Amino acid sequence: MNTVTQNKKIPKRRWGIGALLGMGVLINYIDRIGLSVAAPQIKEMFDLTPVELGLLFSAFAWSYSLLQIPVGMVLDRFGPTRVGRWGAFLWGVASTITAFSSGFAGIFVARILLGVAEAPAFPVSSKATGYWFPRGERGMATAIFDAAAKFSNVIGVPLIAVTIVTFGWRWGFGLTAVLSFAYFIAFFLLYRDPSADPKLSKEELHYIQSGGAAPEGPSETGAVSMLGYLLTKSKVWGLTIGFAAYGYSFYLFLTWLPGYLVQTMHMSILKSAGFAAIPWAVATVTDLFVGGWLIDHLIAKGKDESVVRKSVLIIGMLFGLAVFGATQTTDPVWAIVWISIALGGLASAAPVGWSLPSLIAPKGGAGTIGGIMNFANNLMGAAAPIVTGLIVGATNSFANAFLVAGVILVIGIISFVFVLGKIEPIPDPEPAAPAPLPAH
């Protein structure tokens, strides 16, 4: 009996868990974008200055970025079940506080709390996917939750916009609070680590574990010792530098794409919103198809796992260099074609990046690696809109801003090729030696 036939007979509970994690990331990102949609009404109601509005926009990023490494360490100590539950509950609390806020201070505190609450979201999904999926299915499993982040830009903005225009900005945050609490209930009821899940069959558990799932439980090394150990490993630095380069371009498009279309392509705001949705829709498809299905398909065909993952990672980043094409055209259609190619390539590489913490980590280290990687990613995410704004302000053109993004992508590609090395687990650190007994 061949492997494909055997796999068809194995229960599919793990894919339900994968869908649950994807739904969480989708709601996570809808929570984040709510403020940008509601900003005009909030600015008018509370008579906010542009500086105050800028502080509100940035508050989430401060706490979210700074907590990435500590959250990764906590995640490796307590596991995705407990950390995921508390995080999802606090998403809803943050949205509720925003909905009832009476001014700048309340919204500012709520956005900082949202950054705290959502800091574990991607590391939890990455670590849980490592527990629940064999290595040969890790591509699609990771792509499900990573594509949800892209898809949120396709459906989240219209959903929140319609709610805010129809009922007012408070109801927009009321909607995200309801979605967040609904997810908390679903996660609380449905998610367990595989060894603790009463609905997971022995056959499926054996299939997951024998296929190279990440081992459950904390490391025998303490959290601080694990962090120090991982920071000495070139694989961790190769992944971190490469993924930070991806993050720069991703956040440039996330924050500046509509403004680029309005300023450079002379579109109306409404038309730019429609055009901007196209690259994100392309990114959703390439994320799932290339970063997910194609990788698992090639590995199932017997191709070398490390070669397949690194090839998609590097080729996807190379497609990201299509951003250079957008600097050479004044035709909005061609601009969207070039940006769709670039964002589609980056999106196909992204799930590979997010699958790597659980693929290269020693036991109990996946959350910490994910935290290190996402900390650097979000620092570049914070830098990208600022640097782009400075360049556009100085030159009145996006051409040089896109060139900078391309150069950073080249640095990331070099890091993935030469520093990351083969995609294989880092050896477990040596357990700490017991303290010597006192002399008598």
Side-chain angles (χ1 to χ4, degrees), residues 225-251:
S225 298
M226 176 62 80
L227 174 63
Y229 173 73
L230 291 172
L231 288 175
T232 67
K233 299 301 172 185
S234 60
K235 279 189 192 309
V236 175
W237 285 104
L239 171 59
T240 300
I241 294 167
F243 205 70
Y246 152 82
Y248 186 92
S249 286
F250 176 78
Y251 280 99

Side-chain angles (χ1 to χ4, degrees), residues 361-405:
K363 181 184 177 183
T368 303
I369 293 179
I372 295 168
M373 179 181 92
N374 211 26
F375 171 67
N377 177 43
N378 279 278
L379 282 184
M380 293 296 275
I386 296 170
V387 171
T388 302
L390 289 172
I391 293 171
V392 172
T395 64
N396 202 33
S397 166
F398 279 84
N400 288 333
F402 286 164
L403 287 171
V404 168

Side-chain angles (χ1 to χ4, degrees), residues 7-327:
N7 289 357
K8 286 181 178 176
K9 292 187 175 182
I10 295 168
K12 306 287 186 184
R13 179 158 178 78
R14 62 195 183 282
W15 292 107
I17 295 295
L20 177 71
L21 297 172
M23 187 58 65
V25 170
L26 181 66
I27 293 169
N28 201 260
Y29 268 73
I30 292 174
D31 282 354
R32 298 184 197 189
I33 61 181
L35 182 63
S36 61
V37 181
Q41 286 190 9
I42 291 173
K43 181 176 183 294
E44 185 177 351
M45 173 174 277
F46 298 122
D47 194 26
L48 300 181
T49 66
V51 171
E52 288 173 323
L53 208 56
L55 286 170
L56 291 183
F57 283 142
S58 66
F60 169 88
W62 297 352
S63 53
Y64 183 87
S65 299
L66 290 174
L67 280 176
Q68 283 302 308
I69 293 175
V71 156
M73 296 163 69
V74 169
L75 177 59
D76 282 337
R77 173 66 181 85
F78 294 103
T81 303
R82 292 168 70 180
V83 176
R85 286 175 179 177
W86 277 106
F89 179 74
L90 289 175
W91 304 350
V93 171
S95 288
T96 303
I97 292 173
T98 311
F100 287 99
S101 291
S102 58
F104 169 84
I107 299 174
F108 185 76
V109 169
R111 294 302 288 184
I112 288 178
L113 177 60
L114 187 66
V116 173
E118 295 196 352
F122 259 82
V124 162
S125 295
S126 177
K127 190 175 181 77
T129 300
Y131 283 177
W132 270 94
F133 289 86
R135 294 176 74 95
E137 294 177 352
R138 207 73 60 82
M140 179 55 80
T142 307
I144 289 171
F145 73 78
D146 189 73
K150 279 75 175 177
F151 190 58
S152 68
N153 292 280
V154 179
I155 66 162
V157 172
L159 178 66
I160 299 298
V162 168
T163 304
I164 287 172
V165 169
T166 307
F167 301 107
W169 69 268
R170 294 187 189 276
W171 284 99
F173 291 101
L175 173 62
T176 59
V178 169
L179 291 173
S180 296
F181 283 127
Y183 181 71
F184 161 71
I185 293 168
F187 191 87
F188 185 88
L189 294 176
L190 297 175
Y191 184 85
R192 304 287 186 279
D193 293 341
S195 62
D197 193 322
K199 295 183 179 177
L200 181 65
S201 69
K202 289 181 180 178
E203 294 84 359
E204 189 171 5
L205 179 60
H206 175 72
Y207 172 74
I208 292 168
Q209 292 179 338
S210 64
E216 295 178 34
S219 167
E220 295 177 9
T221 306
V224 175
S225 298
M226 176 62 80
L227 174 63
Y229 173 73
L230 291 172
L231 288 175
T232 67
K233 299 301 172 185
S234 60
K235 279 189 192 309
V236 175
W237 285 104
L239 171 59
T240 300
I241 294 167
F243 205 70
Y246 152 82
Y248 186 92
S249 286
F250 176 78
Y251 280 99
L252 185 157
F253 289 130
L254 191 66
T255 54
W256 276 102
L257 182 53
Y260 160 73
L261 294 173
V262 170
Q263 179 175 325
T264 305
M265 299 301 160
H266 310 295
M267 293 184 182
S268 67
I269 292 175
L270 196 59
K271 187 176 181 182
S272 74
F275 266 69
I278 295 169
W280 291 110
V282 171
T284 303
V285 173
T286 58
D287 197 308
L288 287 168
F289 180 74
V290 180
W293 176 84
L294 182 62
I295 286 175
D296 290 347
H297 176 73
L298 292 173
I299 292 172
K301 290 281 189 184
K303 305 295 183 185
D304 182 271
E305 179 188 339
S306 182
V307 172
V308 168
R309 294 190 200 279
K310 282 196 73 171
S311 296
V312 171
L313 192 60
I314 292 159
I315 293 169
M317 295 279 279
L318 286 169
F319 269 102
L321 296 177
V323 69
F324 288 134
T327 69

